[in-house]
Amino acid sequence: MRGATFIGFGEAGAAFAPPGRSDIRGYDIKLDTPATRANKLADFAAAGVARADSAAEALAGAQTVLSLVTADQALVAAHTAAPHLASDALWLDMNSVAPDTKRAAAAAIGARYVDVAVMAPVHPGRHATPLLVAGPHAEAGAAALRDLGFTNIAIAGPSVGDASAIKMIRSVMVKGIEALTAECALAAEAAGVRAAVIASLDASWPGADWAKRFDYNLDRMMLHGQRRAAEMEEATKTLDALGTGSAMTRGTVERQRAIGSLNTAPPDGLAAKLDLILPLLTRQEQPA
């Protein structure tokens, strides 16, 4: 079986690294910074993935490459990798970016580029996480992903951007609901009416368990809000390119970034999260 190279090794990379394989290697930009190098080395070691100290080293002789960087680095990663890729290498761009960004990355790569959309959280699904693949080399990309253990792959279309369009437009709803529930919960807490608001929502949507949903969404935003904000900036580009308007999604960017930039670990329970976030967010939004 063929090996693979990971460019970017955060939560998704660690989740997708196939266990028990000695032919997997990777590189992450956090290896270049002393403050983050030790933790990133530990991530590679825990996943059993050989690390390289540069993109050029990681890509030397690579046939299958999984690009799993932050949304704002997806195009940069493609430009950085291009000079080091074999002409027949597969570049699996799994980043959450707009179709136009994927098309620009494909133009930069020069190798066999595959648009891959990750359609659910990587935990707990890992290799069962649903993936959409698109582009002229989608079938080859799907075969390479199956070789790495992925089991839930569908072809989205023949053109680069077909998969990412589905992902970005879906994220308008998914990440937007996160932002909206955070805004609602924080306002309810500040007004002293949290219990009444949750009871009213539960009455309107039986079985929804809004307290649990508020808690989960705040947890995700505290941990990943900045990354989600970068993704939603790409969603904004998608909507603007379509001409359908992006006012709500721009608000999602702002709310995701505000909570993510607090840089605080989420405590257990909704009440504890609100107690922590509310004073920090209030102070953050006061004029200088």
Side-chain angles (χ1 to χ4, degrees):
M1 290 192 294
R2 298 169 294 172
T5 293
F6 286 79
I7 297 298
F9 203 73
E11 180 184 19
F16 290 161
R21 294 276 293 266
S22 61
D23 56 350
I24 308 297
R25 58 184 166 176
Y27 165 74
D28 191 288
I29 196 170
K30 288 186 176 180
L31 292 169
D32 299 344
T33 304
T36 55
R37 181 176 174 84
N39 285 341
K40 192 52 59 181
L41 286 172
D43 290 342
F44 279 106
V49 172
R51 56 93 178 148
D53 282 325
S54 69
E57 180 186 339
L59 294 166
Q63 289 298 303
T64 301
V65 183
L66 284 68
S67 177
L68 286 159
V69 298
T70 55
D72 59 340
Q73 292 298 305
L75 187 54
V76 174
H79 280 285
T80 300
H84 309 292
L85 284 173
S87 60
D88 62 343
L90 276 169
W91 180 267
L92 306 176
D93 191 335
M94 306 179 79
N95 300 301
S96 297
V97 295
D100 282 349
T101 304
K102 291 265 177 117
R103 286 187 278 267
I109 281 295
R112 295 186 296 165
Y113 181 98
V114 184
D115 172 14
V116 184
V118 181
M119 298 302 293
V122 299
H123 291 293
R126 299 192 66 205
H127 291 93
T129 302
L131 304 178
L132 298 179
V133 296
H137 305 289
E139 293 288 355
L145 288 164
R146 284 192 290 270
D147 179 64
L148 292 169
F150 290 93
T151 60
N152 192 351
I153 306 164
I155 306 296
S159 301
V160 171
D162 288 342
S164 56
I166 297 168
K167 165 75 173 180
M168 288 291 99
I169 295 169
R170 176 184 182 274
S171 290
V172 169
M173 181 65 72
V174 175
K175 306 304 190 300
I177 287 174
E178 284 183 354
L180 193 62
T181 56
E183 194 157 299
C184 179
L186 288 162
E189 183 72 8
V193 295
R194 170 163 52 96
V197 167
I198 289 173
S200 177
L201 289 169
D202 284 341
S204 298
W205 287 277
D209 196 342
W210 283 93
K212 183 177 180 180
R213 185 171 295 189
F214 285 167
D215 187 30
Y216 177 80
N217 287 347
L218 283 172
D219 190 274
R220 297 295 86 194
M221 292 174 72
M222 292 177 77
L223 288 171
H224 306 299
Q226 294 194 70
R227 188 179 75 195
R228 278 160 154 71
E231 175 184 331
M232 296 315 294
E233 286 180 332
E234 292 291 320
T236 298
K237 293 178 186 177
T238 303
L239 301 179
D240 288 346
L242 293 168
T244 56
S246 58
M248 299 293 287
T249 302
R250 291 178 189 278
T252 298
V253 173
E254 180 181 341
R255 181 57 69 182
Q256 290 277 0
R257 179 165 289 129
I259 292 179
S261 66
L262 296 176
N263 293 317
T264 54
D268 291 336
L270 177 59
K273 288 182 179 67
L274 293 170
D275 285 346
L276 177 62
I277 293 171
L278 199 56
L280 293 174
L281 202 61
T282 302
R283 189 159 60 244
Q284 182 190 72
E285 295 189 356
Q286 286 177 344

